[in-house]
């Protein structure tokens, strides 16, 4: 009988230890909170660093103002993206890419006539899934071109710009 009690006590102790360890390893999933996002106040067309996106046959020129490029504490890479046509028309978007979830958000678009930022393209500035087709294709190319390193933002704005300008060395054709 004493043997059975000792075994039961040992078994109970082992189960309690496992339950405690299991509980200690369980964590509530983190709730992601986006950092405050003020519109860039000092972006300049003259500073834009240009790069090629997708097919080099497009007449549009693309770029990012390097002083607006940042990797936020919330994991979002934000920047002013500029597209210029041969006729001189300019479209500028202030957007962010969240590499972890493969999403993009257009915070605002530049109104050259009013010299001010207007609400994003979708009106509500919602996060949209990156896709190789449709409205987020360009952002997908930017993300793959250097903004993201897998599911994480690239290490620094300097590295991001270098990869966008010179191509990713780690991408296979």
């Amino acid at each position: 009988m004493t043997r059975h009690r000792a075994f039961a006590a040992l078994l109970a102790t082992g189960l309690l230890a496992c339950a405690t360890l299991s509980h200690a390893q369980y964590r509530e999933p983190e709730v992601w909170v986006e950092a405050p996002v003020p519109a860039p106040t000092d972006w300049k067309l003259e500073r834009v660093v240009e790069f090629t996106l997708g097919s080099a046959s497009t007449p549009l020129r693309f770029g990012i103002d390097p002083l607006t490029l940042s990797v936020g504490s919330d994991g979002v890479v934000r920047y002013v993206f500029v597209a210029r046509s041969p006729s001189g028309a300019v479209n500028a978007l202030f957007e962010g890419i969240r590499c972890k979830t493969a999403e993009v958000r257009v915070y605002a678009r530049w109104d050259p006539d009013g010299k001010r930022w207007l609400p994003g393209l979708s009106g509500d500035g919602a996060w949209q899934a990156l896709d190789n087709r449709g409205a987020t294709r360009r952002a997908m190319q930017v993300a793959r071109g250097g903004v993201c390193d897998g599911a994480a933002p690239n290490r620094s704005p300097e590295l991001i710009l270098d990869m966008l300008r010179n191509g990713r060395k780690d991408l296979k054709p």
Side-chain angles (χ1 to χ4, degrees):
M1 186 73 120
T2 309
R3 212 181 233 178
H4 292 305
R5 283 189 184 163
F7 179 73
L10 183 61
L11 183 62
T13 304
L15 289 173
L16 183 60
C18 286
T20 304
L21 180 60
S22 174
H23 180 69
Q25 290 177 344
Y26 176 76
R27 302 243 191 275
E28 289 291 325
E30 283 187 33
V31 175
W32 179 74
V33 177
E34 187 172 14
V37 184
T41 56
D42 188 32
W43 81 276
K44 293 198 182 324
L45 189 58
E46 300 79 37
R47 276 195 310 248
V48 169
V49 174
E50 292 187 353
F51 49 85
T52 303
L53 277 184
S55 169
S57 64
T58 181
L60 295 175
R61 294 175 17 219
F62 303 107
I64 289 177
D65 178 345
L67 295 186
T68 65
L69 180 60
S70 67
V71 180
S73 60
D74 56 3
V76 178
V77 179
R78 295 180 183 87
Y79 51 87
V80 171
F81 177 85
V82 176
R84 279 192 260 201
S85 73
S87 68
V90 173
N91 284 320
L93 301 172
F94 176 48
E95 62 187 12
I97 291 179
R98 188 168 179 223
C99 302
K100 184 174 184 175
T101 57
E103 294 176 302
V104 63
R105 179 175 178 190
V106 177
Y107 298 103
R109 59 185 170 82
W110 182 249
D111 173 16
D113 297 328
K115 305 283 188 230
R116 62 191 171 118
W117 290 103
L118 300 174
L121 298 176
S122 63
D124 62 359
W127 288 97
Q128 296 180 304
L130 292 173
D131 196 341
N132 269 327
R133 296 173 293 178
T136 64
R137 180 175 188 206
R138 176 199 45 76
M140 171 72 98
Q141 292 173 334
V142 171
R144 286 186 174 168
V147 165
C148 298
D149 183 10
N154 234 319
R155 294 184 299 269
S156 70
E158 296 79 16
L159 180 62
I160 290 170
L161 282 173
D162 182 59
M163 288 181 142
L164 286 169
R165 257 189 314 231
N166 301 313
R168 289 188 70 135
K169 309 296 186 261
D170 59 344
L171 289 179
K172 294 182 174 57

